[in-house]
Amino acid sequence: MRLVIQRVREARVDVDGRCCGSIAAGLLVLVAVAKGDTTGDADYLVEKVLGLRIFPDQDGKMNHSVVEVGGSLLVVSNFTLYGDCGKGRRPSFDLAAGPEQARSLYDYFVERLRGSTVPVETGVFQAAMEVHLVNDGPVTLLCESRPTGRK
């Protein structure tokens, strides 16, 4: 699984001109599922999202997690995170999981996050969405369940 995590002052996602999820300060999390991903990958990333120390302390150092600052999460599915632009001009999505597997792991990931104390909002799986955000920092991180070098 692959995530793009953005620290935001606010964010919302619209489908067909209607807001379906919005948060104040917290994290916007774009989620992609790869072929072969499992609930173990999702579990690893749930802990990572909830524990990342990317919010400032009183000295301005990134020392607090979204849990510690009382922030929220806006979780949006985004299979294009597995777009490979290495060849030609059209990205290949061969690494991305099919819709059935992706939806299952996305839903599992969201439910695990909802089991925490952090409020969670979402987009609509497989919908054409407009994501609006005010990035705070800006702080934007790429997080993977199986990055190079991690077993």
Side-chain angles (χ1 to χ4, degrees):
M1 291 178 72
R2 183 175 286 168
L3 309 179
V4 171
I5 301 168
Q6 295 181 296
R7 189 177 75 191
V8 297
R9 292 179 188 218
E10 61 184 56
R12 80 174 195 275
V13 61
D14 297 343
V15 175
D16 295 328
R18 296 181 60 175
C19 179
C20 61
S22 68
I23 62 169
L27 300 175
L28 169 64
V29 182
L30 304 176
V31 181
V33 177
K35 293 175 182 173
D37 283 343
T38 68
T39 56
D41 294 291
D43 291 338
Y44 171 79
L45 290 173
V46 164
E47 296 305 316
K48 188 63 75 174
V49 167
L50 295 174
L52 276 175
R53 296 177 4 178
I54 58 174
F55 289 88
D57 63 13
Q58 65 276 7
D59 296 322
K61 294 186 179 188
M62 286 196 263
N63 243 349
H64 295 298
S65 70
V66 68
V67 174
E68 294 169 319
V69 300
S72 300
L73 300 172
L74 177 57
V75 183
V76 178
S77 62
N78 186 344
F79 83 97
T80 64
L81 294 178
Y82 276 110
D84 181 355
C85 300
K87 293 183 182 178
R89 295 183 181 172
R90 181 175 296 138
S92 166
F93 298 101
D94 289 344
L95 296 177
E100 189 174 300
Q101 179 198 4
R103 179 186 295 270
S104 176
L105 272 179
Y106 170 79
D107 288 345
Y108 177 84
F109 179 75
V110 169
E111 287 310 309
R112 284 288 322 280
L113 288 170
R114 285 186 169 144
S116 73
T117 59
V118 178
V120 178
E121 295 283 325
T122 65
V124 176
F125 189 86
Q126 274 191 306
M129 295 176 272
E130 293 179 1
V131 179
H132 305 265
L133 68 132
V134 177
N135 196 313
D136 182 16
V139 174
T140 301
L141 301 168
L142 178 63
C143 204
E144 297 183 273
S145 60
R146 287 183 260 164
T148 306
R150 187 175 90 75
K151 305 280 187 223

